[in-house]
Amino acid sequence: MEKKVAEIVKLLKAKGYNITHSRNIMIRLFVETEKHLKPEEVYDLAKDQGISLPTVYRNIDVLKKTGVIKEITINNDRFYELHIYSQKKLHIHFRCNRCGNIRDYNNRNIFKKMIQQKDYIEETFGDHVEDISIVMRGICRDCHETG
Amino acid sequence: MEKKVAEIVKLLKAKGYNITHSRNIMIRLFVETEKHLKPEEVYDLAKDQGISLPTVYRNIDVLKKTGVIKEITINNDRFYELHIYSQKKLHIHFRCNRCGNIRDYNNRNIFKKMIQQKDYIEETFGDHVEDISIVMRGICRDCHETG
DNA sequence: CTTGATGCAAAGGATTTGCACAAAT
DNA sequence: ATTTGTGCAAATCCTTTGCATCAAG
């Protein structure tokens, strides 16, 4: 955890950003939270430590620009998650329609298959694909069992 | 074209919606337009025929609820496209980062492969996948050639 | 010190809503 | 005639911005 934070701090400094109180807090938040967070949620988790909502937005921008976090949009809601340790161009998410949880599928087999599809598409249609975002929706295992 | 419009009209009526002036116009717009439209764009195309922006939004809701159109969100922009003739649970879109065009990949091979992935995911993770939305971004063939 | 970051309040843009009026069946 | 749909203006929600102040290096 501290090691990750230190790396991110180093990266931000290298890109010319100051490490302020609120950036420190937000970095830690994203490092220690596994969930995908909305700006509002980041604010809720950080406001008692003295961070304003505009600052949350501004620092989300900074973290996004520097590649520390990544934005995904599901049903018109924006979420952010730590991205720096997975500089992938391929993101596969599952969102449960019942509990709202979002999980990432990080599975080598699936990735491999998806890359094959990408190659096939580039060949077939001539478009150059730079990144892929897959959102699956349905009922997660837990809700399925309890529901 | 008229046949498609008639079918949609029938569907809406069956679901208890009146076919009003503005719904008629909007249906025709979605049927004859191949592009993905933003609410604002729908409004621009329809306003000279006397449709207000709130009505555009309200009727987009109706068309969405009845399955006539489908919403996709890319980079925080909402687009709508005709959906009734492709009741798919799988949508593959490509958006060009240069010209902004969005195209659908409707290719049997890709669909088949994606369904396989879905099955694999359901088996592996136990989640039940109801629909899949794939957004690829990059440079389209045309921009690639001219750029 | 000097530049960059923050808070606050206010502005902005997209979407939604209340309400009186108009149009559909 | 009755219900449903619409326009307008205003409200709402999320996000961004201007500006004076504060903090980081």
Side-chain angles (χ1 to χ4, degrees), chain B residues 72-88:
Chain B
I72 66 165
T73 308
I74 299 182
N75 295 345
N76 310 308
D77 281 326
R78 302 186 203 184
F79 297 88
Y80 300 90
E81 61 171 332
L82 198 63
H83 177 55
I84 192 177
Y85 294 102
S86 62
Q87 294 291 11
K88 297 183 259 80

Side-chain angles (χ1 to χ4, degrees), chain B residues 18 21 39 54 57-58 78:
Chain B
N18 290 344
H21 177 63
Y57 277 104
R58 284 189 272 230
R78 302 186 203 184

Side-chain angles (χ1 to χ4, degrees), chain A residues 18 20 22-23 50-52 55 58-59:
Chain A
N18 290 344
T20 63
S22 48
R23 286 186 186 153
I51 303 187
S52 69
T55 291
R58 283 190 273 229
N59 284 337

Side-chain angles (χ1 to χ4, degrees), chain A residues 113-132 134, chain B residues 90-95 103-111 113-114 134-141:
Chain A
K113 285 281 169 51
M114 285 309 309
I115 297 300
Q116 287 171 9
Q117 291 313 296
K118 190 199 75 137
D119 292 344
Y120 176 78
I121 281 169
E122 291 189 323
E123 252 179 59
T124 307
F125 299 101
D127 301 322
H128 174 65
V129 176
E130 291 174 353
D131 75 81
I132 304 176
I134 300 180
Chain B
L90 169 59
H91 293 266
I92 308 178
H93 300 281
F94 176 87
R95 178 177 185 279
R103 82 194 284 182
D104 292 10
Y105 290 142
N106 290 317
N107 175 295
R108 189 155 304 182
N109 279 323
I110 297 171
F111 274 50
K113 285 282 169 51
M114 285 310 307
I134 301 180
V135 176
M136 306 195 176
R137 277 167 295 208
I139 306 297
C140 74
R141 174 163 56 180

Side-chain angles (χ1 to χ4, degrees), chain A residues 74-127:
Chain A
I74 299 181
N75 295 345
N76 311 308
D77 281 326
R78 302 186 203 183
F79 297 87
Y80 300 90
E81 62 171 332
L82 199 62
H83 177 54
I84 192 178
Y85 294 102
S86 63
Q87 295 291 9
K88 297 184 258 82
K89 300 293 190 188
L90 169 59
H91 293 265
I92 308 179
H93 299 281
F94 176 86
R95 178 177 185 280
C96 177
N97 289 331
R98 201 166 293 165
C99 66
N101 263 356
I102 300 170
R103 83 194 284 183
D104 291 11
Y105 291 142
N106 290 317
N107 175 295
R108 189 156 305 183
N109 279 324
I110 298 171
F111 274 51
K112 211 188 292 176
K113 285 281 169 51
M114 285 309 309
I115 297 300
Q116 287 171 9
Q117 291 313 296
K118 190 199 75 137
D119 292 344
Y120 176 78
I121 281 169
E122 291 189 323
E123 252 179 59
T124 307
F125 299 101
D127 301 322

Side-chain angles (χ1 to χ4, degrees), chain A residues 60 64 69-73 78-81, chain B residues 75-76:
Chain A
I60 281 178
K64 205 167 57 168
I69 60 175
K70 175 178 184 350
E71 174 184 290
I72 66 166
T73 308
R78 302 186 203 183
F79 297 87
Y80 300 90
E81 62 171 332
Chain B
N75 295 345
N76 310 308

